Amino acid sequence: MANVPQDLRYTEKHEYVKAEADGVYAVGITDYAQGELGDIVFVELPAAGTRLQAMHTFGTIEAVKAVSDLYSPISGEVVEANTALDADPAAVNNDPYGAGWMIRVRADDASEVERLLDAAAYEKLIG
């Protein structure tokens, strides 16, 4: 069974958003998604300062068996990309909600977060 933290918001494309103390949001893929992809071998992320549109691609993730697009759950500006994933992309498999975060985003409109799936709705989606 996939780990679905109750305090996060989710997309139907299996990204999560985690509010952080400084008012930005950490974005990554869910435990379910990393499990479906298998062993992650490469993650391509945008640079700080990149503008994102909600539900448009912001990068790619490559696993042994597939390459997938990553979709931004919210619109805003990338304030940081997790460069540690360059050396250790498997952190996405080992700790998707911690060390495996991908980008930190300053939202244009924080109400976009509230429109995402809550944990119960995401759990229903993934069955």
Side-chain angles (χ1 to χ4, degrees), residues 55-103:
M55 298 319 300
H56 286 81
T57 60
F58 71 81
T60 57
I61 188 164
E62 183 176 340
V64 172
K65 58 184 180 181
V67 176
S68 297
D69 287 332
L70 298 165
Y71 295 88
S72 181
I74 55 177
S75 299
E77 179 181 348
V78 176
V79 295
E80 183 181 6
N82 187 353
T83 57
L85 297 179
D86 293 343
D88 185 21
V92 175
N93 294 119
N94 301 328
D95 189 13
Y97 303 116
W101 66 274
M102 295 180 178
I103 56 175

Side-chain angles (χ1 to χ4, degrees), residues 14 30-40 63 65-66 93:
H14 310 291
T30 64
D31 183 50
Y32 174 83
Q34 71 77 24
E36 291 293 303
L37 284 168
D39 294 336
I40 307 299
K65 58 184 180 181
N93 294 119

Side-chain angles (χ1 to χ4, degrees), residues 3 10 12 15-16 20 22 30-31 36-37 57 66 70-71 78 81-82 98-99 105 108 110 116 123-124 127:
N3 176 17
Y10 302 90
E12 292 180 357
E15 286 83 15
Y16 69 83
E20 297 193 331
D22 58 2
T30 64
D31 183 50
E36 291 293 303
L37 284 168
T57 60
L70 298 165
Y71 295 88
V78 176
N82 187 353
V105 179
D108 289 342
L116 297 171
E123 286 173 332
K124 186 174 180 181

